Amino acid sequence: MKYAIAIFSLLLALTVNAQSLESPSKTISLEFKLINKGAPSYSVTYKNKPVLLSSLMGIYQKDAADLASHFTIENSKTSTFNESWKPVLGEQAQIVNHYNELTISLLQMGTGKKMNIIFRAFDEGVAFRYEFPKQQDLNYFIISDEKSEFNLAGNHKTFWIPGDYDSQEYAYNETKISEINTDNINKNNGIALKTIGSKFRVQSPLMMKSADGLYINIFEAAVVNYPVMHLDVVPNEYKLTSHLVPNALGDKAYLQTPCVSPWRTVMVSDDARDIIGSKMILNLNDPCKLDDTSWIKPMKYVGIWWEMHVGKSTWDYAGSQNAQNAANKELVPTGKHGATTTNTKRYIDFAAKNGFDGVLVEGWNVGWEDWFGNWKEEVFDFTTPYPDFDLKVVNDYAKSKGIKMIMHNETSGSVANYERHLDRSFDLMKKYGYPAVKTGYVGKIIPRGEFHDGQSMVNHFNFVARRAADFQLMVNSHESSRPTGYSRTYPNYIAAEAARGNEFNAWSVGNPPMHETILPFTRLLGGPMDYTPGIFEIKMSIYDKTKTEQVHTTLSKQLALYLTMYSPLQMAADLPENYEKYPDAFQFIKDVAVDWDQSTYLEAEPGDYITVARKAKGSENWFLGAITDENPRTSEIKLNFLSPNQKYKATMYQDGKTAHWKNNPISYEIKTVVVNSKSKLKLVLAAGGGTAISFVPIK
């Protein structure tokens, strides 16, 4: 009898060993199997083309048996989900969330531990996560790493940045997978590598293109109470393996059941527009947890920020040479401090005159004299202004002009200090009516040994957003771990930097012209980016004739970035006086919306070009942005996205005939034409250039 039962159990296991799942359109197929002594594995195809070959799965535990083999399938179930939901702010008024789901319930022989693997198949890709039910033998456990493989079908072209645990502020490298090696990193980066750990480690999201025309993106979604996933590369095998960022002890994650891992995502299509327009990462996050979101508003702002980057003024009041005096509260002004009451009033006047919502002020609080790179526990208290910045006067003046002030909290990496002061800082913002805060995390993390991408810091960034929601404050984080769709759950997490932004153009070798054509395929898949576009004075020699740095775009491309780099929080980053030199071009920044009812990607190729059209929220106005890399480009655009039977005045802000990102970046021309949904427009983009268009209905 025992022998018969064993044979029956074996036959049953063989019949359920292979499980399959298809996307709603049946273009994407996934197969799950137990192989090699009960090791979980999966594979993915797109229109019968291999995307991922058999790839292993599992979790490694510290001081316990690995959850990566000796499994049997206890149960499996499938389901279908189809809904539409409305984001508080976004590229679309409604987002469709349609997928098929497969849950595999696994039992580990010998230990009796249970682990579920949940797969979801969307029309733009697949996702999976590990689920750990409540169980006696697996209550509290430590993850030493994760065995999630992505076994690629070929030596794809890849857009990558190195696996630095503390920063994503790199220019992208474009190589074959077999050529990934940080010894040959893009020399345009202009910053030294920090904590790489391996010359064959890259960060996700990783964007790729196969030789047969498939666009593949590997990323993650809903990273909550878990470290960020980097990817170890096995170049000769074209294989990628998950690598979790460690904490100060070398452990990866501390978990307590019941719990889940983040989603591991694989987007795939033969049309690049499907990748860049995907909302799969957002859909994999929990719905909004806030009952009242009426206070979450899009903002267009200016600020005391770029003038420090170009050397016109400073963040500090007393100067670094007076750091010791500053520590003793003996502040001796240098005369170059940017965040003064008088200067802030000037920005408020400019914002009010030109229809902006807010003004950001950096360098307003004491501590900037000795803040960078010193790994100090306490530098800022986030509530004490410099003597030349009067909080009450500034905010009363802003209120009289209908302008909101945006708070700035730079932590200098001292996270423990910031958390101790967090509620006091938020109380100050509420007292003076600030709707939003820009946080910064420059430098090594305190507690010492932690990394920006580790579990504790992921928890911190998410906690700040949750705690800010209690105060009805919006958060724009800089130098944080890159977003993975958490803005769906807490939409007050309105934007983040978490990539190499526009400021690098002011004081380094800058961002190459292709940089902005890659970010929407990588960083922006996880959430809005505060890229700070709108620089009109392209060459830094205007401030100092000895400077050779410059922004690696034309002026027209800086306008187009307001469309291609989505964010509901957009900065007009240049100085007020520079905008006053070019009032006709500045008109586009004044006009362009930042929140949308509809977005249509018209053209896209990672590393080369992007063209997108967006319809303003609650309006019939449309806006279009087109950008290119270092190569000039001409294309013809159909305007069938416009409403039928309606004429529009199209105002085109385009590169001049002799424009060039390096040789003649400020050359632009503006023309107007009457168009409708049957019209076509020819776009002519200079090298490193762009085109921005506003479409206003003619009544």
Side-chain angles (χ1 to χ4, degrees), residues 293-304:
T293 59
S294 61
W295 49 275
I296 301 173
K297 304 288 187 183
M299 294 185 73
K300 200 187 304 181
Y301 71 104
V302 296
I304 300 175

Side-chain angles (χ1 to χ4, degrees), residues 524-542:
L524 274 92
L525 293 177
M529 180 179 177
D530 187 29
Y531 188 70
T532 61
I535 304 302
F536 279 14
E537 285 297 353
I538 304 293
K539 294 181 179 290
M540 299 304 107
S541 57
I542 191 171

